Amino acid sequence: MSDAPEVKPPVVTPVRVVIALCLLAPFVAMLWVGSYATTDPTFIGIPFFYWYQMLWVFISAALTMTAYKLWQRDQRARKGGAGS
């Protein structure tokens, strides 16, 4: 009928769910301002509001790297399985 290739829906796997959670966590943490809109506890004189956000810079970098490494592993596994 049609010469167009069949488009398969994306596959949801546990690894991909973990990847999504790694990428979603920083957004949720930063958008939920009520959870960190306070000055106490202070850390070396810096109010909680500021050092919490700066901590999430490092946490976000680690989660993004984790998501990337998991994605690479997932893609290698899919290519290896498709060729067999």
Side-chain angles (χ1 to χ4, degrees), residues 5 10 15 18 22 31 41 44 65-66 72:
V15 172
V18 170
C22 285
L31 289 177
I44 59 171
M65 181 189 68
T66 301
Q72 282 184 324

Side-chain angles (χ1 to χ4, degrees), residues 12-47:
V12 178
T13 63
V15 172
R16 290 183 179 191
V17 171
V18 170
I19 291 168
L21 291 175
C22 285
L23 296 175
L24 187 64
F27 289 103
V28 172
M30 290 293 92
L31 289 177
W32 186 19
V33 179
S35 69
Y36 62 93
T38 182
T39 57
D40 290 326
T42 59
F43 176 68
I44 59 171
I46 302 170

Side-chain angles (χ1 to χ4, degrees), residues 32-61:
W32 186 19
V33 179
S35 69
Y36 62 93
T38 182
T39 57
D40 290 326
T42 59
F43 176 68
I44 59 171
I46 302 170
F48 180 71
F49 181 78
Y50 295 111
W51 69 258
Y52 177 81
Q53 291 178 68
M54 288 306 299
L55 179 65
W56 270 100
V57 170
F58 299 107
I59 293 170
S60 297

